[in-house]
Amino acid sequence: MKNSSEADILAVVESAKRAASNLMRTGRVWEYSLLSRIMKSPDPIGRQPRSRNFLLCPICKKTHWSLPVHLRRSCMRTSSEADILAVVESAKRVVSNLLRTGRVWEYSLLSRIMQSPDTIGRMIEELESRGNAVVGIPTEAPTAAVPAVPDVPVEAPAESSSESSGELYQCPDTTKQGTSLRERMASLGYYKKHSLDHDLLVSFAKFLQFDMSNENFKQEVENVARFLYFMDPQQASLLFVRQHEKSREYFLKLSEAGLSKQTVQNYIKSVKRFLKFHTGSTDLCFTDRVLHEDCKNYISFLDNIQTATSKQVSKETTRKRFDTFQEGVLSSTQVTAVLAAAKKDFLAVIGKLHAGECSPGHQLTLTELQLVLYYLEAIVILEHAQRPGVVEHMTVTEWISRRRDDTRPGFVVVAVKEHKTAATQVATFVLTQEQEMWFDLYFSEVRPVMLGKKRKRVEDDDETDERFFISSTGKAIYNASNDLERLHKKYQVPKVTSQMARRAYKTATKELSDVQKTKVAGYLTHSTATAEKHYRMKERGSAVDAFLILRNLRGDSDSDQSDTPRGSSAYLTDQAAYDKLLRSYPVTLDGVPPNRSQRKSLAGEYERYCYDRWRSEQLERRVQHVLEHFARRLPSESRVKAWIMKQGWSANLPDAASIVQQWKPSGGIDVAMDSVVLQKFCRTQRWKGLAVADIEGKGRGVLVTRPFALGEVVCDYHGKVVSRQEGLATHTATAEKESGQPRSRNFLLCPICKKTHWSLPVHLRRSCMRTSSEADILAVVESAKRAVSNLLRTGRVWEYSLLSRIMQSPDTIGRMIEELESRGNAVVGIPTEAPTAAVPAVPDVPVEAITHDIECSIAFIQRFLQNKQAK
């Protein structure tokens, strides 16, 4: 640097000193795992930071931010890791080729494609050769999708498309098993949606939540977000009201995908309510009168679709009723079959709690805790024929406020105010004294343990604490029907839903008197109940009468529902033997199981059953004990194994690998720093999984060297604590170059010369924008990066129906150029005259000259073949 200034030389010296300091402080210690990962990488010698792009899955034809994760979880979950990595590398090569050469289209190429006999097929071939994907291709020939022949029935193409829509985009090994409706909708792209943080959707959500008091507002907002994405994938706006044909096509596609007519009707209602909100509750009528009028016309258009769809909904309802009639109605015994199957295990758990053998639920395993929860949910839904919403919305206050019947003190009545039915009704169900004891044990012993598993956030979830039924994650249960299905699956009993149970009880009451029917209808909180029935349901005696009617219909005897709790008196022989064994040899973390002679003397013929169950419960407790010790930081397998060996356990040891695999953060955030391990990390500041590095242009930063789970402690914080609003404001005000995020390096398209460049800023400064300011150059570069991001995220997947509409338009080439450029591509070589001028006219050549040329060609080919045969 002999020709450089003293300031430049000093800057280089200071940089070298910082590098030496970093080397001496952190750069001389190498992790073996890091070296192992480097040597296993495709380029172990010169391992360069890789770009992170949306990659296209070749199986489901969708782009994914993390293609390896998607393949392991979905499309290639049964394949080997080598096959998955091969697919990922191939997808990366395709993206590289697409960004380097696949975004520039020659006008002459488009002209030749449009003049070919099979226009759509040729266009699909060219798109796929450039790394794009075309979805929605019908099973017949591509030309069959274009209704060129007038006498073909209209239903034929739609029916074919509907049958094939579930099989086009799934893994080869799953086509035989069929696809669910959700998978089919996802594969067709109908679950894609705009961000719910968009201004149009945020204001609509607040309107539904606060003005309309709609608890299910999120589902309705998501329906609108999906609709807006279909109408315009680039940006959510109200301009869709000017696209009636495309709107009709969307609702038709939902039906073809397999959604019921009622669900399609719900989508229409959501869009209609969305427009009514913006036309009646916003300033749209003042800011844009023309758009406001278009919205009102579009609402009339939706009214017409609703009228046509309502007839189909009625037919669909009739078909369902006919199918129900053909299947027949379940008997009351079949409805409660799962309760009978699970009662033995349930009473065993209740016996532990009732006998006071364990401190508030802590000695119960997770499986036993879930059994108590699922069984009580099943009692409410199946035995008392209540809707799942009663279970999901029942609160602690409503349980504490239960009332005992005055004339029959052996029964208590529980009233639930909110249960997703008519607001004028209150759901009530009656519990016997024994069932009340079960619910009370759950409330006092099991529920606190469930709440203890909740990971608290900055804002406490008061709603969860108020709910009566809590899931094993410590949150309010989300779907009681799913819990009921798990219970049926566990005991291998045919599934019975809430609707099936209510239908069975309703059918069983046909032979009863009108007064009894009225009481049962009120007990089931039917929406058709009259005001008189509502009034009767306010009386506890009427609710008890209805409960006794249902109990008689089930055939339960009065002796089964005595006023005294039985506790564990209903145990069978094997359970009694195990209880007898536990009284002498309780299950503990460090305990040793009794030998065979001891088990024989206590359990008799059930000694082997008791031995296996004793060891299983001890192992489950030990696993839970290990997980609680490593509550906030993911431990290594060797560390778990070493800690297990320190406990002095000689047999029945937990597997360290399985513990690391199933590890999740646990415990509240307020007690996180009580961990001895975290306190050690705070003292030494040697946090595992983190590295401090100097990032060029950004300063010093902390990088992670392994994935972190949700809720896991990353490190302690020594900076200034700011509120969420301050953090969001700072993040918004910070430029992207200062945000500390690693940037991808891609080929970017110059909008001036229509060529791709590895370093677009350098190209613009040297060539296309050499006279422009640096700000203008950076603006063009940022625009090119956004175009690449949109192309890789949404621009590579083409709908067959879109190509079909383009090929049928009057200006085919112009429409195709417009679509390509909207997706971030460029078309070069467009002639200044009409498009037909690009096709050279055939010159007038004499016939004799053409004949002579043909004869010369034939003679040349003959000589070539003779020479080849001679050789």
Side-chain angles (χ1 to χ4, degrees):
M1 297 180 67
K2 55 181 177 292
N3 297 326
S4 303
S5 64
E6 186 68 20
D8 294 339
I9 294 174
L10 291 177
V12 172
V13 172
E14 289 300 322
S15 176
K17 286 182 178 179
R18 285 196 300 271
S21 176
N22 292 333
L23 173 65
M24 299 300 292
R25 187 172 65 252
T26 60
R28 301 172 66 187
V29 180
W30 291 74
E31 286 281 348
Y32 178 83
S33 57
L34 173 62
L35 292 175
S36 178
R37 288 196 302 272
I38 292 176
M39 295 309 168
K40 292 179 180 178
S41 64
D43 183 16
I45 298 177
R47 187 162 167 257
Q48 299 294 330
R50 300 186 174 190
S51 301
R52 186 72 178 270
N53 292 317
F54 280 88
L55 299 180
L56 181 69
C57 174
I59 301 172
C60 66
K61 307 295 184 185
K62 294 181 184 177
T63 55
H64 300 274
W65 177 242
S66 181
L67 182 58
V69 174
H70 162 73
L71 293 176
R72 294 187 188 101
R73 292 179 177 176
S74 180
C75 288
M76 295 181 66
R77 57 180 177 270
T78 59
S79 304
S80 64
E81 188 68 18
D83 294 339
I84 292 175
L85 293 178
V87 171
V88 172
E89 290 302 321
S90 174
K92 289 180 179 179
R93 286 194 297 271
V94 171
V95 164
S96 177
N97 294 333
L98 170 65
L99 296 181
R100 189 168 61 250
T101 60
R103 297 176 65 190
V104 181
W105 294 68
E106 286 285 346
Y107 182 86
S108 57
L109 172 63
L110 291 176
S111 179
R112 289 195 302 271
I113 292 176
M114 299 308 165
Q115 294 177 15
S116 63
D118 182 12
T119 310
I120 298 182
R122 182 69 184 84
M123 193 67 210
I124 292 174
E125 180 183 347
E126 184 63 31
L127 285 171
E128 291 180 342
S129 68
R130 290 171 178 252
N132 297 279
V134 181
V135 299
I137 304 176
T139 51
E140 295 103 356
T143 53
V146 183
V149 184
D151 56 344
V152 176
V154 179
E155 294 80 10
E159 189 175 335
S160 167
S161 173
S162 174
E163 291 176 358
S164 63
S165 62
E167 300 178 356
L168 283 178
Y169 316 115
Q170 304 301 321
C171 304
D173 56 338
T174 58
T175 51
K176 298 179 182 178
Q177 303 172 0
T179 55
S180 66
L181 177 60
R182 287 181 179 273
E183 292 173 344
R184 189 159 59 248
M185 288 283 291
S187 65
L188 293 174
Y190 298 153
Y191 280 155
K192 293 181 178 179
K193 59 188 178 184
H194 283 295
S195 172
L196 301 183
D197 296 331
H198 194 278
D199 293 340
L200 291 175
L201 298 173
V202 169
S203 57
F204 180 53
K206 291 181 179 178
F207 169 75
L208 294 177
Q209 184 180 9
F210 300 111
D211 295 2
M212 302 293 293
S213 299
N214 188 346
E215 289 189 358
N216 199 28
F217 72 95
K218 290 184 180 179
Q219 180 63 49
E220 195 159 348
V221 175
E222 287 182 353
N223 290 346
V224 176
R226 295 182 186 120
F227 172 77
L228 294 178
Y229 185 89
F230 179 85
M231 301 303 293
D232 186 0
Q234 304 299 327
Q235 183 179 6
S237 67
L238 294 176
L239 298 179
F240 69 88
V241 297
R242 297 166 183 167
Q243 304 180 45
H244 289 203
E245 289 299 326
K246 192 172 182 180
S247 304
R248 193 187 301 274
E249 178 188 356
Y250 175 72
F251 298 124
L252 180 62
K253 283 188 173 184
L254 292 182
S255 298
E256 291 177 350
L259 290 184
S260 65
K261 302 300 180 183
Q262 183 60 57
T263 305
V264 177
Q265 186 86 295
N266 293 338
Y267 270 84
I268 298 175
K269 289 180 181 178
S270 300
V271 177
K272 188 175 177 182
R273 185 178 293 184
F274 173 73
L275 285 178
K276 285 187 175 180
F277 161 71
H278 283 286
T279 55
S281 302
T282 63
D283 298 334
L284 182 62
C285 59
F286 304 107
T287 57
D288 195 336
R289 289 184 176 275
V290 177
L291 182 59
H292 182 267
E293 194 64 29
D294 291 340
C295 290
K296 294 173 67 176
N297 294 334
Y298 192 86
I299 292 175
S300 302
F301 162 73
L302 291 180
D303 289 336
N304 296 334
I305 296 182
Q306 270 188 301
T307 303
T309 311
S310 60
K311 298 179 181 179
Q312 299 174 347
V313 172
S314 301
K315 292 181 180 179
E316 191 176 69
T317 305
T318 304
R319 285 196 300 269
K320 289 182 179 179
R321 290 175 178 172
F322 178 76
D323 294 339
T324 303
F325 174 77
Q326 293 291 97
E327 294 174 359
V329 181
L330 298 176
S331 65
S332 55
T333 306
Q334 292 173 313
V335 169
T336 57
V338 69
L339 293 174
K343 191 171 186 179
K344 166 190 165 184
D345 295 336
F346 172 75
L347 287 177
V349 181
I350 290 295
K352 290 183 179 180
L353 298 173
H354 183 67
E357 297 176 4
C358 46
S359 59
H362 288 283
Q363 298 298 321
L364 296 181
T365 63
L366 179 60
T367 304
E368 292 173 328
L369 295 173
Q370 290 177 335
L371 175 61
V372 174
L373 173 67
Y374 294 165
Y375 195 89
L376 297 184
E377 291 181 41
I379 286 178
V380 178
I381 296 175
L382 299 181
E383 187 172 317
H384 297 281
Q386 299 297 317
R387 291 183 174 91
V390 176
V391 174
E392 295 163 6
H393 292 80
M394 180 178 170
T395 63
V396 172
T397 304
E398 290 166 344
W399 167 250
I400 297 175
S401 303
R402 64 190 185 278
R403 291 291 180 266
R404 194 168 300 279
D405 186 48
D406 298 332
T407 58
R408 288 159 290 193
F411 301 98
V412 293
V413 181
V414 181
V416 180
K417 181 173 61 175
E418 296 182 9
H419 46 89
K420 294 188 179 180
T421 58
T424 57
Q425 301 180 66
V426 175
T428 55
F429 59 93
V430 178
L431 299 177
T432 64
Q433 192 169 354
E434 181 184 34
Q435 291 175 342
E436 182 190 11
M437 180 267 294
W438 295 344
F439 275 73
D440 195 53
L441 283 175
Y442 161 80
F443 177 67
S444 60
E445 306 287 345
V446 176
R447 188 175 177 276
V449 182
M450 297 288 203
L451 284 175
K453 295 179 178 294
K454 180 175 65 174
R455 296 194 300 268
K456 295 184 179 180
R457 302 296 179 195
V458 177
E459 300 177 359
D460 290 333
D461 190 358
D462 296 333
E463 183 181 1
T464 298
D465 296 338
E466 179 62 19
R467 297 292 190 206
F468 182 78
F469 288 104
I470 302 297
S471 68
S472 57
T473 61
K475 300 179 181 179
I477 59 173
Y478 179 73
N479 194 323
S481 299
N482 289 345
D483 294 347
L484 189 63
E485 184 179 358
R486 295 187 188 103
L487 187 64
H488 281 92
K489 189 178 296 185
K490 174 180 175 63
Y491 289 95
Q492 299 179 354
V493 178
K495 177 184 173 183
V496 179
T497 63
S498 168
Q499 292 181 348
M500 297 166 67
R502 293 167 64 83
R503 192 185 304 126
Y505 286 121
K506 182 180 178 182
T507 305
T509 58
K510 288 185 177 180
E511 304 300 328
L512 301 179
S513 63
D514 292 340
V515 176
Q516 291 175 320
K517 287 181 181 179
T518 301
K519 291 181 178 181
V520 173
Y523 192 77
L524 302 182
T525 57
H526 281 163
S527 58
T528 56
T530 61
E532 182 182 3
K533 296 172 190 175
H534 297 162
Y535 177 75
R536 280 201 186 102
M537 285 310 299
K538 294 178 183 178
E539 301 175 1
R540 292 191 293 274
S542 182
V544 175
D545 291 339
F547 166 72
L548 294 175
I549 293 173
L550 293 181
R551 192 177 70 176
N552 291 333
L553 292 175
R554 289 195 302 270
D556 296 343
S557 62
D558 293 341
S559 61
D560 291 340
Q561 305 292 343
S562 61
D563 291 345
T564 339
R566 292 193 305 264
S568 60
S569 61
Y571 291 1
L572 296 182
T573 311
D574 54 352
Q575 181 61 45
Y578 185 67
D579 291 339
K580 186 178 180 182
L581 180 71
L582 287 183
R583 282 192 289 270
S584 301
Y585 300 94
V587 180
T588 59
L589 287 174
D590 302 322
V592 179
N595 56 40
R596 186 172 183 181
S597 60
Q598 293 170 333
R599 298 196 304 268
K600 272 282 188 181
S601 62
L602 294 172
E605 58 180 315
Y606 298 104
E607 62 89 11
R608 187 65 195 181
Y609 163 80
C610 295
Y611 175 71
D612 293 338
R613 184 171 173 181
W614 197 97
R615 285 175 54 86
S616 176
E617 289 189 8
Q618 185 191 56
L619 180 61
E620 190 168 350
R621 292 185 185 183
R622 287 181 174 181
V623 169
Q624 189 63 32
H625 182 61
V626 176
L627 290 174
E628 289 176 356
H629 178 75
F630 301 99
R632 305 301 301 188
R633 289 277 295 190
L634 175 65
S636 63
E637 185 176 336
S638 59
R639 189 154 170 254
V640 173
K641 190 177 297 184
W643 190 84
I644 292 176
M645 297 304 297
K646 287 182 180 179
Q647 306 309 305
W649 301 332
S650 57
N652 206 18
L653 299 178
D655 181 48
S658 63
I659 288 178
V660 173
Q661 187 175 5
Q662 64 178 320
W663 179 89
K664 290 181 180 179
S666 61
I669 195 171
D670 49 348
V671 297
M673 299 311 295
D674 294 343
S675 170
V676 178
V677 177
L678 293 183
Q679 292 174 2
K680 178 182 177 182
F681 286 152
C682 291
R683 289 195 309 270
T684 61
Q685 288 299 302
R686 294 180 180 178
W687 295 90
K688 300 295 181 66
L690 302 177
V692 180
D694 285 318
I695 304 174
E696 183 179 357
K698 301 179 179 66
R700 289 169 62 80
V702 179
L703 306 179
V704 297
T705 59
R706 68 166 177 85
F708 281 81
L710 179 64
E712 184 178 358
V713 174
V714 179
C715 64
D716 57 339
Y717 179 65
H718 299 271
K720 177 184 176 183
V721 179
V722 298
S723 64
R724 182 174 184 270
Q725 289 76 11
E726 292 176 306
L728 291 175
T730 304
H731 179 74
T732 306
T734 304
E736 182 183 352
K737 63 181 180 180
E738 300 172 357
S739 63
Q741 298 294 332
R743 301 173 128 190
S744 301
R745 187 73 177 270
N746 292 318
F747 280 90
L748 299 180
L749 180 69
C750 175
I752 301 173
C753 65
K754 305 295 184 184
K755 295 180 181 178
T756 56
H757 301 274
W758 176 242
S759 180
L760 182 60
V762 174
H763 162 73
L764 294 176
R765 294 187 187 101
R766 293 178 177 177
S767 179
C768 288
M769 295 180 66
R770 58 179 176 271
T771 60
S772 302
S773 64
E774 187 67 18
D776 294 338
I777 292 175
L778 292 178
V780 172
V781 172
E782 292 302 321
S783 175
K785 288 181 179 179
R786 286 195 297 270
V788 166
S789 176
N790 293 333
L791 170 67
L792 296 182
R793 188 169 64 249
T794 60
R796 298 176 64 191
V797 181
W798 294 68
E799 285 283 348
Y800 181 86
S801 57
L802 172 63
L803 292 176
S804 179
R805 288 196 301 270
I806 292 175
M807 300 310 166
Q808 295 176 27
S809 62
D811 183 12
T812 309
I813 298 182
R815 181 70 183 85
M816 194 68 210
I817 291 174
E818 179 184 347
E819 183 64 29
L820 286 170
E821 290 180 342
S822 69
R823 292 172 178 250
N825 297 280
V827 181
V828 298
I830 303 177
T832 54
E833 296 118 359
T836 52
V839 183
V842 180
D844 296 330
V845 182
V847 178
E848 294 80 5
I850 296 176
T851 306
H852 178 266
D853 292 340
I854 293 175
E855 291 174 351
C856 292
S857 299
I858 293 175
F860 171 78
I861 293 172
Q862 288 176 344
R863 287 195 302 272
F864 174 80
L865 293 176
Q866 289 173 358
N867 295 335
K868 187 174 182 180
Q869 187 176 7
K871 290 181 180 180

